[in-house]
Amino acid sequence: MGEAERQGTVRERLLAAAIEKLAASGPEALQARPLAAEIGASTMAVYTHFGGMPQLLDEVTREGFARFEAGLARVERSDDTIADLLALGIAYRQFALDNQQLYRLMFGLTTPGTRRTKERDLTTAGSPTSLSEGISAFNHLVGAVTRAAESGRIAAADPVAVAGQIWSATHGYVLLEMTGVFGHEGHGLVRTLQPLIINLLVGLGDTRANIEASLARVFATSRRYHHISAPQRGRPSDAGTTATS
Amino acid sequence: MGEAERQGTVRERLLAAAIEKLAASGPEALQARPLAAEIGASTMAVYTHFGGMPQLLDEVTREGFARFEAGLARVERSDDTIADLLALGIAYRQFALDNQQLYRLMFGLTTPGTRRTKERDLTTAGSPTSLSEGISAFNHLVGAVTRAAESGRIAAADPVAVAGQIWSATHGYVLLEMTGVFGHEGHGLVRTLQPLIINLLVGLGDTRANIEASLARVFATSRRYHHISAPQRGRPSDAGTTATS
DNA sequence: CTTCCTCCTATAACGATGTTATGTATCGGT
DNA sequence: ACCGATACATAACATCGTTATAGGAGGAAG
């Protein structure tokens, strides 16, 4: 393959090659020798610049959270706080699906080759809350929740806790969608994630009509997501066509 | 260490040793040579009985889903359908936290040593929906949702979709809790998972008062979870104090 | 009982991994 | 122009999954 990354320091080229190879061939492909060969260096480059494969992977994780944070920061805020929250969720899912392997690695879910590493602790590894980039990304969500609460749309006495709830829901959905649980089409989005967030927001105090209006506003303003079908007005949960009780 | 599992076929002892070692030392410890040595056999046993490490890991995954299904089947159903749903969620979390490494492996998230395997496809690997045991486990949730809908407590025109929503929320929370996002105490449960499910159920049509009554009923009837603090009445989401594990 | 066949097993080797040791070169500062 | 530090390539080591090969246990048929 073309040994790309002709510019930048050896360290930067190694990191770029690792991220590229991760997305292309999965975590198993993150190996010292092929990576070094790809940039035209020898294996030692991994050790002089990172200290070993585990540290290189930590840097990949850090870079992943930085890109994640950048992706979330790109969603502009409006005067509709719930629409902003929904847009944030869409951006979240978009990043995760566009960078599946990276997303998994970021949350410590994939354990690449390097097993020499001594007991990579599950809790304190390269976890989101232990990385400043991860905290920064989460704070986008906390901020959106805080603004939504201040606007009176939802009740969030503890914005961090509410943000954790939304994060849990989105994170879980995204991972299940990645494993193909909801089918490989876009069904899962309108059938599961969308009603999930809507129902959660209803439970937080907003009305269903207002939420759906905000959701429509998101699709209207940002044509970046026009490939996602618009929501349908109606009752509680979702796609079903039957009448209510 | 003590080469346990003196009874059973070589295949069964290998599988048992693998599950034990996984829980004790993480996925990196699932290696052919140490595993075979643990039961007093040679490395070849892995290949004559499984065909290779990937197939052995697939069997571990299958066994994990079988135990998961058994754990969910153990929750008895009452005439309070929402209480049954909540009990199911508690059992779900309990299994995940009691078998963290196994849980991660089950959902195809961990990629142990074996990288020789040719491109373990993310979507079609040992995923829940591709295993009959996994489908059976998920059906417990679908059934509980269906009964809750039939009882009129929630509106679920599409029980499978609603089950997918609840699954997403619980799955995401559990994984984030496992990585230590919500702190290493039990705070996350009452501060995040409990209000998350409550808010979701409110969005699905039930009233907050009824849900909290059902939750109290769960703690009352099943003393197996008495180490989890009871819910506090009140508004949407909030924090509270909890006990240990 | 003998013979043969089939499975299971142990030993040893092969390729490839992360890592380390060692010697060499290249660069920057004084 | 010298010197120290840093980066580099080569080669070796231990270990991994896997495979080839030969030996042995247990039953079925003669």
Side-chain angles (χ1 to χ4, degrees), chain B residues 53-75:
Chain B
M53 283 303 292
Q55 290 82 354
L56 188 148
L57 292 173
D58 286 344
E59 287 308 307
V60 172
T61 299
R62 162 170 275 108
E63 174 66 20
F65 272 108
R67 293 185 183 186
F68 186 42
E69 195 274 336
L72 296 185
R74 212 172 291 126
V75 312

Side-chain angles (χ1 to χ4, degrees), chain B residues 3-175:
Chain B
E3 59 227 38
E5 275 69 53
R6 273 250 171 268
Q7 53 188 1
T9 71
V10 174
R11 183 191 157 97
E12 290 168 350
R13 290 189 297 165
L14 258 183
L15 198 54
I19 294 177
E20 184 180 340
K21 213 132 190 44
L22 171 64
S25 310
E28 296 92 352
L30 289 185
Q31 298 164 348
R33 265 174 254 257
L35 274 184
E38 195 129 359
I39 69 166
S42 86
T43 316
M44 267 303 293
V46 172
Y47 296 87
T48 55
H49 291 289
F50 295 92
M53 283 303 292
Q55 290 82 354
L56 188 148
L57 292 173
D58 286 344
E59 287 308 307
V60 172
T61 299
R62 162 170 275 108
E63 174 66 20
F65 272 108
R67 293 185 183 186
F68 186 42
E69 195 274 336
L72 296 185
R74 212 172 291 126
V75 312
E76 68 278 3
R77 64 184 70 168
S78 67
D79 48 354
D80 185 339
T81 56
I82 295 297
D84 294 352
L85 206 46
L86 294 172
L88 207 57
I90 292 176
Y92 188 113
R93 170 180 176 270
Q94 200 65 36
F95 175 88
L97 293 189
D98 289 345
N99 309 278
Q100 299 199 13
Q101 305 280 16
L102 186 56
Y103 186 83
R104 297 166 97 105
L105 182 64
M106 283 162 53
F107 286 92
L109 301 176
T110 189
T111 308
T114 166
R115 57 192 162 296
R116 169 74 53 142
T117 161
K118 51 190 68 170
E119 299 262 346
R120 260 176 91 90
D121 188 357
L122 283 179
T123 62
T124 61
S127 298
T129 50
S130 69
L131 262 57
S132 61
E133 290 87 347
I135 296 176
S136 177
F138 179 59
N139 280 343
H140 278 283
L141 185 52
V142 176
V145 168
T146 302
R147 286 189 292 273
E150 290 173 348
S151 74
R153 294 283 295 270
I154 63 173
D158 187 346
V160 175
V162 173
Q165 297 173 36
I166 299 177
W167 190 12
S168 294
T170 311
H171 181 59
Y173 167 81
V174 158
L175 285 179

Side-chain angles (χ1 to χ4, degrees), chain A residues 24-28 31 100-101 104 107-117 119-120 122-124 127-129 155-158 160-162 164-182 184 191-193 195-205 208 235-245, chain B residues 24-29 31 92 100-101 104 107-117 119-120 122-124 127-129 138 149 152 154-158 160-162 164-182 184 191-193 195-205 208 235-239:
Chain A
S25 310
E28 297 92 351
Q31 297 163 348
Q100 300 199 14
Q101 305 280 14
R104 296 166 98 103
F107 287 93
L109 300 175
T110 189
T111 309
T114 164
R115 58 193 163 296
R116 169 74 53 141
T117 160
E119 300 262 345
R120 259 175 90 89
L122 284 179
T123 62
T124 61
S127 298
T129 50
D158 186 346
V160 175
V162 173
Q165 297 174 36
I166 299 178
W167 190 13
S168 295
T170 311
H171 182 60
Y173 167 81
V174 158
L175 286 179
L176 290 180
E177 182 183 10
M178 277 170 37
T179 63
V181 169
F182 302 124
H184 295 78
R191 205 180 150 194
T192 304
L193 180 57
L196 168 56
I197 297 298
I198 292 177
N199 287 330
L200 180 54
L201 289 175
V202 169
L204 286 169
R208 190 171 305 272
R235 322 159 320 283
S237 59
D238 52 83
T241 56
T242 67
T244 84
S245 59
Chain B
S25 310
E28 296 92 352
Q31 298 164 348
Y92 188 113
Q100 299 199 13
Q101 305 280 16
R104 297 166 97 105
F107 286 92
L109 301 176
T110 189
T111 308
T114 166
R115 57 192 162 296
R116 169 74 53 142
T117 161
E119 299 262 346
R120 260 176 91 90
L122 283 179
T123 62
T124 61
S127 298
T129 50
F138 179 59
I154 63 173
D158 187 346
V160 175
V162 173
Q165 297 173 36
I166 299 177
W167 190 12
S168 294
T170 311
H171 181 59
Y173 167 81
V174 158
L175 285 179
L176 289 181
E177 183 183 10
M178 276 169 40
T179 63
V181 169
F182 302 124
H184 296 79
R191 204 180 151 194
T192 304
L193 180 57
L196 167 57
I197 298 297
I198 291 176
N199 287 329
L200 180 54
L201 289 175
V202 169
L204 286 169
R208 191 172 304 272
R235 318 164 321 285
S237 68
D238 236 301

Side-chain angles (χ1 to χ4, degrees), chain A residues 57-135:
Chain A
L57 293 173
D58 287 345
E59 287 307 308
V60 172
T61 299
R62 163 170 274 107
E63 175 66 21
F65 272 109
R67 294 184 183 186
F68 186 43
E69 194 274 336
L72 295 186
R74 212 172 291 126
V75 313
E76 67 280 2
R77 65 183 70 169
S78 67
D79 49 353
D80 185 338
T81 56
I82 295 297
D84 294 353
L85 207 45
L86 294 172
L88 207 57
I90 292 176
Y92 187 113
R93 171 180 175 270
Q94 201 64 36
F95 175 86
L97 294 189
D98 288 345
N99 309 277
Q100 300 199 14
Q101 305 280 14
L102 186 56
Y103 185 83
R104 296 166 98 103
L105 182 65
M106 283 161 55
F107 287 93
L109 300 175
T110 189
T111 309
T114 164
R115 58 193 163 296
R116 169 74 53 141
T117 160
K118 51 189 73 169
E119 300 262 345
R120 259 175 90 89
D121 188 356
L122 284 179
T123 62
T124 61
S127 298
T129 50
S130 70
L131 263 56
S132 62
E133 290 87 349
I135 296 177

